[in-house]
Structure formats: C-alpha cells, structure tokens
Amino acid sequence: QLQLQESGPGLVKPSETLSLTCTVSGGSTSSSSHYWGLIRQPPGKGLEWIGSVFYSGTTFYAPSLKSRVTMSVDKSKNQFSLKVTSVTAADTAVYYCASSNTLTGGFGYWGQGTLVTVSS
Amino acid sequence: EIVLTQSPGTLSLSPGERATLSCRASQSVSSYLAWYQQKPGQAPRLLIYGASSRATDIPDRFSGSGSGTDFTLTISRLEPEDFAVYYCQQYVTSPGLTFGGGTKVEIK
C-alpha cells in the first residue's frame, strides 16, 4: 500500500521560499507506473493543483504558479519535493502530496496534508 | 487552462435519496476525468477515474458518466457517510490538471 508523508516548516515569512518534502513508502519514486503531485487547499476553499513530477524528472506546473514553483524527485531518498518562491499570505494552505497511476489517472493516494502558514 | 464548473454548489438531500452532481469542462477532456470525496479534516479520496471507473473499494452506489465536456457523478442512495464535498478533476496532461470548485452534499 503506497503511503505519502509531507514534511516541512509550518510557518514561512512573506517573500521567502516555501520548501516541502514528500516521502514515499510502499512504492518507489523510480517507478514509471506512478507520477507524483502536489495539491493545496487554502482554509475553507477548494483544491488547487500545483504541479506534477514524473520519475524521469519531467515536470508540469499550474500556469498561475509556474514562475514561482519548482518540483523535483530524489530517487535515492524515495522523495519528491516542492519549492515555492516569493510567498505571500495567498500561499497559506494545506499542502498535500499525492500519487497517480499513469495508466488509470486520478490521484489514488494522498498524504495527510500539512498546513503551511505565510506570516511574519 | 481548462476550467471545470461544478453544479450545484450545494445539494440538500436526505439519506436514501439520489444525488446527481454535474461537472462541465470549458473544452473537451475526453474521459480524463476523476471524482473525489472530501470530508472535513481529511485528504480527498478518489472515487472515480476515467469518467466512469470506480476506484478500489468504492461502493457501487457511486457511479460516473459522461465524456468530452459534460460529466455526472451519481450516488444512487445516500448513506450518512456520503455527506461531504465532492470535486471533479481533469487530467489532460497539457496544459495541466485542474479541479472544479466542488459541490457540498449536505443533510436536508
């Protein structure tokens, strides 16, 4: 059973960089059968896809965030990660790691989510 | 960017009733559409992928239909645990994935 766990600071100052790591267990980030995603949810609002990364390192980002977002995969640690630069209060959200089967689609596995607050 | 519009925003129903949720895409997504259920304080749970295929362990009272731009999630008979927020999501890789705004199914 694939499991994902988010880790990172819960508080980030405005204009700084938000960094988040997702650790995968029960599966491998080297596998071509899955791709990895980051989704966020501001308090009381809906879901927003941030980006996805494949085992090969190929990335896709939401157009609205593309200029500030970088995702990467570390196969040796079985992790993938997110960096968001120049954060503002609008980046305050619960951030979820998720996994999608490349054949079927849809994010079938999710982490529990981690709240990141942007505040001075 | 492909915009997904979900309707209604809120659906007030009683247990045992049928729920019909709609998701409309601004351009064709073929059958690359998924549905999720989210309860307060929890991560979303995948219900349907490929517009109509149930994910693992999802009860058969949940069904999905549609293709192209118009999709429907139907819950045939609402159970108490089905009251939640439901999101659709399209996964056409380019120009990227998007979620709908959600439909809240609440107890009447």
Side-chain angles (χ1 to χ4, degrees):
Chain A
Q1 176 86 347
L2 200 60
Q3 292 185 319
L4 299 101
Q5 179 67 56
E6 304 88 354
S7 59
L11 182 64
V12 181
K13 290 182 168 53
S15 80
E16 294 190 343
T17 296
L18 180 162
S19 296
L20 194 69
T21 297
C22 303
T23 301
V24 177
S25 57
S28 173
T29 55
S30 300
S31 170
S32 60
S33 63
H34 288 88
Y35 67 87
W36 314 97
L38 266 296
I39 296 102
R40 70 182 183 180
Q41 186 170 37
K45 296 188 177 180
L47 301 167
E48 179 183 26
W49 173 72
I50 300 170
S52 293
V53 59
F54 290 75
Y55 75 100
S56 60
T58 300
T59 53
F60 294 91
Y61 302 130
S64 61
L65 295 168
K66 189 173 183 178
S67 64
R68 298 194 294 125
V69 167
T70 303
M71 291 181 64
S72 60
V73 62
D74 186 334
K75 298 172 191 175
S76 65
K77 295 182 179 178
N78 221 28
Q79 295 175 334
F80 59 102
S81 64
L82 169 74
K83 290 188 188 301
V84 183
T85 61
S86 306
V87 297
T88 69
D91 295 306
T92 294
V94 174
Y95 285 74
Y96 292 102
C97 305
S99 170
S100 176
N101 186 301
T102 51
L103 291 179
T104 60
F107 289 107
Y109 296 94
W110 294 69
Q112 65 186 20
T114 186
L115 175 63
V116 178
T117 302
V118 178
S119 175
S120 55
Chain B
E1 179 179 284
I2 297 173
V3 177
L4 297 180
T5 302
Q6 290 189 243
S7 60
T10 302
L11 202 50
S12 298
L13 295 168
S14 301
E17 289 194 294
R18 182 184 187 90
T20 303
L21 287 67
S22 174
C23 176
R24 177 163 290 178
S26 60
Q27 63 188 76
S28 177
V29 298
S30 185
S31 294
Y32 297 113
L33 190 105
W35 289 94
Y36 300 85
Q37 176 193 69
Q38 187 180 33
K39 296 179 182 179
Q42 296 184 17
R45 178 173 71 144
L46 179 66
L47 301 174
I48 301 288
Y49 63 89
S52 61
S53 297
R54 268 188 303 276
T56 304
D57 296 331
I58 300 302
D60 61 7
R61 64 180 181 274
F62 291 92
S63 63
S65 64
S67 67
T69 61
D70 288 297
F71 301 88
T72 301
L73 174 71
T74 302
I75 311 171
S76 59
R77 284 195 326 275
L78 283 164
E79 297 287 342
E81 62 267 28
D82 298 337
F83 291 91
V85 180
Y86 293 83
Y87 294 95
C88 58
Q89 177 232 332
Q90 62 80 18
Y91 47 98
V92 174
T93 304
S94 178
L97 317 183
T98 49
F99 286 90
T103 291
K104 181 179 183 180
V105 179
E106 65 175 22
I107 299 176
K108 186 175 181 180

